[in-house]
Amino acid sequence: MRDPRPTGGMRVDFTAVIYEWSARRNWFFVDVPPEPSADISDRPRMPRGFDSVRVTATVGGTTWDTSIFPGGGTYALPLKRAVLRAEQIGEGDEIAVALVVHDG
């Protein structure tokens, strides 16, 4: 079976605990750890809204295109409701995440 993740760009693999954003109910995220967040931040790229960075994310068997957002020294990856359902995961679960960080 072909890996659906793109091969170009910086690859970041990590585990993190899912949390609900305190400012808005039913919005769930995981944080990219500080060291890879610093590496992502150091890469030159065109400015985007909210200083977001385009990525392709994979959790379990689900892969999707999205953006990560900076805050507090790390980046936050939003988890779509469809991903939570498909992977049967939720707040408080520790998950493995694979990111491909796009240069554009």
Side-chain angles (χ1 to χ4, degrees), residues 9-84:
M10 180 176 135
R11 173 81 185 259
V12 178
D13 296 300
F14 62 95
T15 59
V17 175
I18 300 170
Y19 64 91
E20 185 176 26
W21 187 25
S22 61
R24 186 136 186 192
R25 289 189 38 109
N26 295 317
W27 286 42
F28 296 92
F29 295 84
V30 292
D31 288 335
V32 179
E35 187 174 326
S37 287
D39 292 342
I40 293 167
S41 180
D42 287 345
R43 291 179 66 120
R45 65 180 48 82
M46 293 295 293
R48 301 187 77 224
F50 305 103
D51 291 327
S52 65
V53 176
R54 289 184 330 106
V55 298
T56 299
T58 300
V59 173
T62 306
T63 298
W64 73 103
D65 293 319
T66 189
S67 294
I68 54 176
F69 300 90
T74 62
Y75 283 90
L77 169 69
L79 299 172
K80 295 179 178 185
R81 188 175 315 279
V83 174
L84 298 173

